[in-house]
Amino acid sequence: MSDVMIEARDLSKLYGPVHALKDVSFEVRRGEVLGFLGPNGAGKTTTMKILTCFIAPSTGTAKVNGADIFEDPMAVRSAIGYLPESTPLYTEMLVLEYLEFVAKMRGYKGEDARKRIKKAVEQTSLGDVIAKEIRALSKGFRQRVGLAQALVHEPPVLILDEPMSGLDPNQASEIRDLIKQIGSERTVILSTHDLGEVQVTCDRVLIIAKGRLVADDTPEELRERAGKASYFVTLDGKGADAKKAREILGGIGGVSSIKQRDAEAKGELLFTIVPKDASDLRRDIFQTIVKNDLVMLGLERKSEGLDKVFRDLTTGDTAASAAATKTKRDQKIDEAREKKKARDEAKRKDDERAAEESSSDEDASDEKGEA
Amino acid sequence: MHNVLTIAGRQFRSYFNGPIAYLVIGTVLLVLGFLFWETFFLFGKATLREMFRYASLINYFALPALTMGLIAEEKRTGTIELLITMPVTEGQVILGKYLGVLGLYAVMLLLTLPYAFSVSSLGNLDWGPVFSGYFGLLLQGGALLGIGLMMSSFTDNQLVAFFATLGVSIFFFLVDKFLPFMPSGVTNFFEAISFDSHFESLRRGVVAVRDVLYFVSVATITLMVAFRSLESRRWS
């Protein structure tokens, strides 16, 4: 068996004239946790639905665990554990009842089914609510039930559509740990629009915008794209000269530029240091300051992070393309307006002509009268 | 096949997890009992013919309530996505759903048996027509459930599914009621597609192949349409 668990080739999906997905290709290897990142409506869910054989792509194809989504959808479905967006479950069922149903559907019976359910319940810590109706569960627990049903058949591939949305930070971190733990043995694709999420959980990130793949990198590579980190230094203003402090800081190797912000705010000196490369300068900065008998009140290293990359990649020319792709309805309205204009114009001309004619008639009768 | 039965079993049990099964079956038994027993003693005959007629009428209103949610509700809540992405085919889903609701309907029919036993204790009941009558109800109901499942697969709104099913079923009920006013060319056709004309002979104790075939065909065709409709989401 090859190491490539998911292989998507030139996936496109058309909804009417709209490209929900355009020529998306990627590969996911065994043991990888892949983050699918993009704004709402970018095509994340569409891609996942294609991989799980819920919808078919308009063109292109994909293989999951070696099985083609067109040729052998049953094998694809068997290889995948899927958690759709917003975790749809049969809410009138008990948790255990539901998991038993899922195990049965996956073809497990008796002792085997019981063992698998037990394992999934342990992995997702559902033990306390197993005899409860799903509708009575909180969002976090429902999410776990959703994960448990995706784990019952121990699939080599997990596809999770926004597994973290709507959870409070504690719940989210629990689910995150769970996904990490699962991801160590399996291939996981998860979609999100939360950047922090990706940085913490994923080995690789695909960024998708307007149906196109715009980036395929590790979180670190993406951050490098975003630019280097900056350092924010706060010095005690008492007995320190701003100009001199600036010179001292400028003397540190690897510093590219220094900016002073809000000079002497509350008796403090605030500097922003931009380094030449990505290496960590905090030690050098600290030691230099101490050596020069300055008092440091604060030192912070901040990178612009994925936020900026995300914005740059996904919003690039949204406005322009939005203007270019007028909807059909807009076009119709425009056409109707044009027509009305033309009609009004024609009517006006008719009226004028009629007025002219009537006036010339009057002239004629006048002439007659005179005659 | 085991997938079909698993889906059918879940569907069947889900009716009893909520109030729907109890409400529908309770109401049907109440209304049927009232209509049947109210006139039973006027006729003074030990026969269930009238009960079968009333039951077939009640079916037009009661069965859409059982089928309206079958697919529509799963579409609305999104559970259809989890169901279909398991290793099952669309055909298995449709068949499972159909068997699930058919099972509930069969339970409903069984619960009317006490009426039959009561009648048999009051007089000399001929069980032949009773069996054919129940068989007829099963066929007529089965066809209605097929229509209901089909309508449920077209929409994600249960109310739409309910009234669409009611409308179509009532059409097949009414279609032979105005034959004298119809042009002579179409009367035969309208009679051939009428639910009532096919049910009538079963009610009287005659099991004819054409009647059985008619109801089975309606169920088969509607299930096939439902299958297509469910499958079409892949390409939309």
Side-chain angles (χ1 to χ4, degrees):
Chain A
M1 219 192 274
S2 80
D3 225 27
V4 177
M5 294 303 287
I6 299 171
E7 185 187 356
R9 246 181 301 125
D10 304 323
L11 292 180
S12 293
K13 180 75 183 174
L14 281 161
Y15 289 118
V18 183
H19 262 107
L21 217 56
K22 200 161 184 205
D23 299 329
V24 169
S25 301
F26 59 91
E27 282 182 0
V28 194
R29 276 171 290 280
R30 191 188 304 277
E32 242 183 338
V33 178
L34 180 80
F36 229 43
L37 197 64
N40 291 330
K44 294 171 292 187
T45 300
T46 304
T47 311
M48 293 186 154
K49 283 182 175 172
I50 288 173
L51 291 178
T52 53
C53 304
F54 187 66
I55 57 175
S58 307
T59 56
T61 186
K63 276 184 180 174
V64 177
N65 200 18
D68 190 277
I69 55 168
F70 285 111
E71 280 155 23
D72 198 354
M74 286 302 138
V76 171
R77 290 172 188 188
S78 300
I80 292 178
Y82 180 36
L83 176 64
E85 204 175 354
S86 75
T87 327
L89 302 167
Y90 294 118
T91 51
E92 81 281 357
M93 294 176 100
L94 307 179
V95 174
L96 182 61
E97 212 181 359
Y98 178 65
L99 293 177
E100 278 168 353
F101 166 69
V102 173
K104 244 192 201 172
M105 290 293 289
R106 296 281 182 187
Y108 301 111
K109 280 184 221 126
E111 191 55 33
D112 192 15
R114 215 166 314 144
K115 264 189 208 154
R116 283 169 180 278
I117 291 170
K118 201 176 162 216
K119 193 173 173 200
V121 166
E122 274 167 14
Q123 272 182 305
T124 49
S125 339
L126 277 172
D128 293 340
V129 297
I130 197 133
K132 280 193 180 169
E133 272 186 22
I134 294 175
R135 80 174 106 215
L137 299 182
S138 67
K139 174 105 188 159
F141 270 113
R142 281 187 199 204
Q143 209 81 335
R144 283 195 232 173
V145 176
L147 274 172
Q149 67 79 28
L151 288 169
V152 166
H153 57 302
E154 306 194 333
V157 175
L158 272 171
I159 296 187
L160 313 172
D161 199 352
E162 309 221 347
M164 246 69 82
S165 72
L167 299 182
D168 71 39
N170 293 337
Q171 294 169 333
S173 101
E174 278 174 31
I175 299 278
R176 194 178 300 131
D177 291 344
L178 182 58
I179 289 172
K180 267 188 170 172
Q181 179 206 327
I182 297 164
S184 59
E185 323 152 24
R186 295 170 216 290
T187 305
V188 181
I189 298 190
L190 65 90
S191 79
T192 176
H193 43 238
D194 180 357
L195 294 150
E197 198 53 66
V198 169
Q199 278 170 298
V200 185
T201 328
C202 303
D203 304 320
R204 227 175 93 212
V205 187
L206 294 185
I207 298 184
I208 189 164
K210 282 174 273 159
R212 286 165 190 279
L213 211 55
V214 291
D216 179 351
D217 284 313
T218 63
E220 287 76 30
E221 280 170 338
L222 275 182
R223 211 170 305 132
E224 258 168 46
R225 276 188 183 208
K228 293 139 284 186
S230 305
Y231 300 87
F232 298 88
V233 182
T234 311
L235 298 178
D236 193 347
K238 271 179 247 159
D241 177 42
K243 227 181 211 171
K244 202 179 152 211
R246 191 173 175 148
E247 264 166 37
I248 293 167
L249 287 173
I252 301 169
V255 171
S256 145
S257 71
I258 293 179
K259 248 191 351 215
Q260 189 178 1
R261 304 168 289 141
D262 310 334
E264 292 165 63
K266 288 178 283 168
E268 293 170 0
L269 298 173
L270 307 172
F271 294 101
T272 305
I273 302 176
V274 180
K276 280 186 189 134
D277 53 37
S279 59
D280 197 341
L281 290 181
R282 282 173 297 184
R283 272 180 207 83
D284 296 339
I285 293 171
F286 179 78
Q287 279 161 0
T288 310
I289 287 169
V290 172
K291 235 186 270 166
N292 288 283
D293 288 332
L294 291 169
V295 179
M296 182 161 76
L297 299 176
L299 171 60
E300 204 180 351
R301 181 174 188 250
K302 264 194 201 160
S303 65
E304 284 184 290
L306 288 172
D307 271 326
K308 192 169 175 321
V309 189
F310 181 71
R311 268 200 305 278
D312 290 349
L313 286 171
T314 56
T315 54
D317 44 10
T318 317
S321 68
T325 53
K326 266 192 181 166
T327 62
K328 268 195 170 166
R329 198 168 152 267
D330 287 342
Q331 279 173 8
K332 269 196 186 145
I333 291 170
D334 283 353
E335 273 168 28
R337 271 197 199 122
E338 290 292 323
K339 268 187 197 156
K340 190 165 182 292
K341 229 182 183 177
R343 234 185 3 249
D344 288 349
E345 188 73 8
K347 206 180 161 211
R348 204 169 52 79
K349 274 187 183 156
D350 279 354
D351 287 350
E352 274 175 14
R353 210 177 302 134
E356 267 173 33
E357 271 168 23
S358 65
S359 64
S360 62
D361 280 354
E362 271 166 34
D363 289 350
S365 59
D366 284 353
E367 276 166 28
K368 262 180 204 161
E370 275 170 24
Chain B
M1 192 61 202
H2 98 267
N3 276 339
V4 174
L5 293 180
T6 308
I7 294 172
R10 197 209 69 78
Q11 188 61 47
F12 181 77
R13 248 172 288 132
S14 83
Y15 282 118
F16 292 96
N17 279 342
I20 298 178
Y22 304 102
L23 279 175
V24 173
I25 291 180
T27 312
V28 166
L29 290 180
L30 207 67
V31 174
L32 182 63
F34 170 74
L35 291 174
F36 174 52
W37 292 110
E38 196 202 12
T39 54
F40 178 75
F41 294 103
L42 291 178
F43 289 109
K45 275 194 211 158
T47 170
L48 284 174
R49 268 194 200 178
E50 287 309 301
M51 185 188 91
F52 291 134
R53 198 168 70 85
Y54 289 129
S56 77
L57 293 179
I58 291 172
N59 274 351
Y60 289 105
F61 296 90
L63 297 193
L66 296 180
T67 53
M68 64 182 183
L70 281 176
I71 309 282
E73 184 64 6
E74 294 228 14
K75 276 193 188 172
R76 194 184 62 78
T77 58
T79 47
I80 193 79
E81 205 172 330
L82 266 184
L83 185 58
I84 289 209
T85 52
M86 288 183 190
V88 291
T89 63
E90 281 84 356
Q92 289 170 333
V93 170
I94 293 292
L95 208 56
K97 292 261 163 194
Y98 182 71
L99 290 183
V101 71
L102 195 66
L104 181 67
Y105 176 58
V107 168
M108 194 165 93
L109 288 184
L110 285 180
L111 289 175
T112 64
L113 277 178
Y115 296 164
F117 293 129
S118 309
V119 172
S120 98
S121 74
L122 290 168
N124 193 11
L125 179 65
D126 181 359
W127 282 92
V130 174
F131 286 123
S132 87
Y134 270 110
F135 185 51
L137 275 184
L138 194 66
L139 287 171
Q140 186 241 12
L144 287 175
L145 293 176
I147 295 174
L149 178 56
M150 175 178 77
M151 290 303 175
S152 187
S153 76
F154 290 159
T155 172
D156 59 3
N157 184 323
Q158 297 199 49
L159 214 56
V160 170
F162 179 90
F163 281 103
T165 311
L166 190 61
V168 170
S169 318
I170 294 284
F171 169 79
F172 280 106
F173 168 73
L174 288 176
V175 75
D176 67 345
K177 299 291 179 282
F178 303 99
L179 289 182
F181 309 105
M182 299 285 178
S184 58
V186 295
T187 51
N188 276 345
F189 173 70
F190 279 176
E191 202 159 12
I193 62 165
S194 151
F195 265 49
D196 246 20
S197 67
H198 289 283
F199 180 68
E200 191 54 25
S201 51
L202 286 158
R203 189 170 75 92
R204 290 174 190 280
V206 183
V207 180
V209 176
R210 48 172 251 145
D211 300 327
V212 176
L213 215 59
Y214 169 75
F215 286 121
V216 172
S217 311
V218 171
T220 310
I221 292 168
T222 49
L223 290 193
M224 276 162 61
V225 174
F227 163 72
R228 280 285 161 212
S229 147
L230 189 59
E231 203 191 29
S232 70
R233 64 139 217 301
R234 286 197 74 187
W235 316 105
S236 66

